[in-house]
Amino acid sequence: MEITLIPTSLQIHEWMQEVAHDVILQICLQNQIGPAELHQLAHQLAQREAAADSLTEGQHDHLTHY
């Protein structure tokens, strides 16, 4: 008798995150992106996410006023 384990969606998500982090690390190493540049990129990403969030919130505010 053989038992097949089916991963949960949380496990799959964690595995995908781990793979994504490994890929990002490899890209940094291959392109000689150091910690300072990576920190700057993280800051730029945070700014873009904040801008996208503010646009999304503005759309939701617009919908709730009716």
Side-chain angles (χ1 to χ4, degrees), residues 26-65:
Q26 286 300 317
I27 290 170
C28 289
L29 292 171
Q30 289 174 357
N31 292 284
Q32 299 177 344
I33 298 172
E37 290 171 300
L38 192 55
H39 181 74
Q40 182 181 6
L41 289 171
H43 181 70
Q44 290 175 358
L45 178 60
Q47 287 178 325
R48 290 180 185 187
E49 286 180 346
D53 287 346
S54 69
L55 289 175
T56 302
E57 288 172 6
Q59 291 173 353
H60 290 297
D61 289 343
H62 175 73
L63 293 175
T64 59
H65 285 87

Side-chain angles (χ1 to χ4, degrees), residues 4 8 11 16 18 21 31 35 44 46 52 54 56 63 65-66:
T4 302
T8 65
Q11 288 173 317
M16 295 301 290
E18 187 177 327
H21 292 166
N31 292 284
Q44 290 175 358
S54 69
T56 302
L63 293 175
H65 285 87
Y66 288 102

